[in-house]
């Protein structure tokens, strides 16, 4: 009897996408050899709590892990932590690691995620200025946020606002500086921006729109003392968080000649231009059924869905990635759930009332539902997911009529 050779799959990166891929391979009892190489010292973990329950001290590190290390090891998966993949030799199908070892692969999965966008401004290197992407960042930030401290957050996006809420809970005095004319402008419509602005302001957060940062005031010990604005004002600070978005981590792929364009380009089967290399999660740019353009998505749903597609590719099932992206955020007890992409909508319909803190905004393009943002309204989110997936045409008056049971639309 001839022995069948088992494929070796090497996964680069140990974040959410890699964790979801391992979970799928575990579930499908994948027979090949699996080696995960992750730069961070932890097995795959969930980042969303870092700006929410973990920062406010309501959950611990153990609860962040997607699975305990032993679950992977007992399945025979090799998990190599605290090691980087430095380069890919595509001709010989092997990768070189920062511990000077090499690994050969039959299939390589790039799950290198994203890295924070750095601010370039005088004084930005001084102590007291933080970024938030991993557990170590969250630990440093949490240690710095004692009650009574003044935290200035540069950037009024998801993460900045979540940190504002978590820090306020800890008794910290928070100011949010946003350069745009409204909060979360990149990802939501004006109704939700205005609601969040009001919510934060009423909770004591000083929200300043149209505030461009031009530098930092530094004290004698080299510690930040304030944030300098373009209008000449200095906002006093003990701690600063810069939260101005992320960029895809594509250095490794680019150096190996894999096609990238602000993200590793993948098709709906998460294949790169090299047939033996797949890419998943924040590091990718892709097209799916729901977008006219290629998109780079920085969210858990994309990481999980692309991981499922990669697992199908590795097990020979070849199912395309065709899920609708969705997002969530928690701020001051408000549960915001968003599905689809609202950019380019030509009509928005509000269901419920922002004053009651229970409402949803349906975004339509050419009468088709393209996105829904639901605030404490899980039913609208659930129905919205189905409407967006079907690109349904819906009577706007029905969506707005709170007496109408929208379940019937799903
Ligand atoms: C504070 C915070 C809050 C968030 N909240 C939400 C939320 O509420 N909802 C939501 O949908 N999304 C949220 N996100 C985004 C979500 O966490 C990401 O979309 C998700 O983690 C993407 O998974 P990923 O595996 O692609 O990348 P990542 O989780 O970033 O993991 C990539 C990993 O690869 C490692 N790596 C990179 N290069 C190499 C290399 N060469 N060798 C070895 N290892 C390497 C990195 O160190 C990292 O550990 C949040 C993110 C943050 C930071």
């Amino acid at each position: 009897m001839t022995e069948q050779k088992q494929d070796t799959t090497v996964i680069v990166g140990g974040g959410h996408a890699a964790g979801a891929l391992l979970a799928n391979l575990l579930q499908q009892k994948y027979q090949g050899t699996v080696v995960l190489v992750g730069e961070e010292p932890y097995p795959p973990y969930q980042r969303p709590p870092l700006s929410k329950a973990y920062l406010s001290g309501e959950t611990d590190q153990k609860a962040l892990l997607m699975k305990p290390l032993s679950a992977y090891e007992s399945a025979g998966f090799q998990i190599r932590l605290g090691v980087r993949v430095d380069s890919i030799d595509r001709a010989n199908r092997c990768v070189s690691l920062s511990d000077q070892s090499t690994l050969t692969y039959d299939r390589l999965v790039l799950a290198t995620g994203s890295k924070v966008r750095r601010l370039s401004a005088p004084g930005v290197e001084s102590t007291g200025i933080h970024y938030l992407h991993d557990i170590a960042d969250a630990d440093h930030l949490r240690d710095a946020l004692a009650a009574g401290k003044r935290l200035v957050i540069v950037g009024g996006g998801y993460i900045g606002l979540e940190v504002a809420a978590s820090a306020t809970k800890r008794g910290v005095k928070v100011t949010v500086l946003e350069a745009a004319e409204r909060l979360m402008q990149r990802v939501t419509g004006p109704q939700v921006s205005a609601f969040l602005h009001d919510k934060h302001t009423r909770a004591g957060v000083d929200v300043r729109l149209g505030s461009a940062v031009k530098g930092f005031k530094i004290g004698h010990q080299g510690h930040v003392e304030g944030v300098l604005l373009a209008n000449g004002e200095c906002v006093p600070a003990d701690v600063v968080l810069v939260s101005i978005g992320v960029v895809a981590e594509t250095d490794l792929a680019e150096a190996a000649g894999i096609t990238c364009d602000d993200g590793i380009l993948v098709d709906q089967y998460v294949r790169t231009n090299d047939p033996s290399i797949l890419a998943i999660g924040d590091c990718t740019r892709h097209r799916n059924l729901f977008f006219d353009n290629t998109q780079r998505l920085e969210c858990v749903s994309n990481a999980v869905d692309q991981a499922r597609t990669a697992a199908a590719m590795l097990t020979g099932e070849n199912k395309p990635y065709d899920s609708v992206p969705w997002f969530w955020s928690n701020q001051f007890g408000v549960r915001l759930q968003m599905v689809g992409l609202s950019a380019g909508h030509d009509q928005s319909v509000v269901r419920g009332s922002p004053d009651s803190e229970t409402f949803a905004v349906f975004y339509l393009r050419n009468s088709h539902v393209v996105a829904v943002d639901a605030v404490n309204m899980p039913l609208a989110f659930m129905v919205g997911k189905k409407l967006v997936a079907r690109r349904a045409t819906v009577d706007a008056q029905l969506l707005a009529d709170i007496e109408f049971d929208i379940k019937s639309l799903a």
Side-chain angles (χ1 to χ4, degrees), residues 191-196 334-337 349-363 372-378 380 402:
Q191 298 92 338
V192 174
S193 295
F195 168 78
L196 290 174
V334 166
R335 187 163 178 217
L336 173 62
Q337 295 168 293
V349 182
V350 180
R351 179 178 179 83
S353 117
D355 291 342
S356 68
E357 300 204 350
T358 306
F359 72 103
V361 185
F362 290 78
Y363 302 92
V372 181
D373 293 345
V375 173
N376 297 326
M377 208 185 238
I402 201 74

Side-chain angles (χ1 to χ4, degrees), residues 114 158 186 245-248 282 296-300 302 327:
S114 52
Y158 282 115
R186 197 171 61 88
V246 293
V247 289
D282 278 16
R296 195 163 68 70
L297 300 174
E298 300 141 9
C299 61
V300 164
N302 179 58
F327 315 83

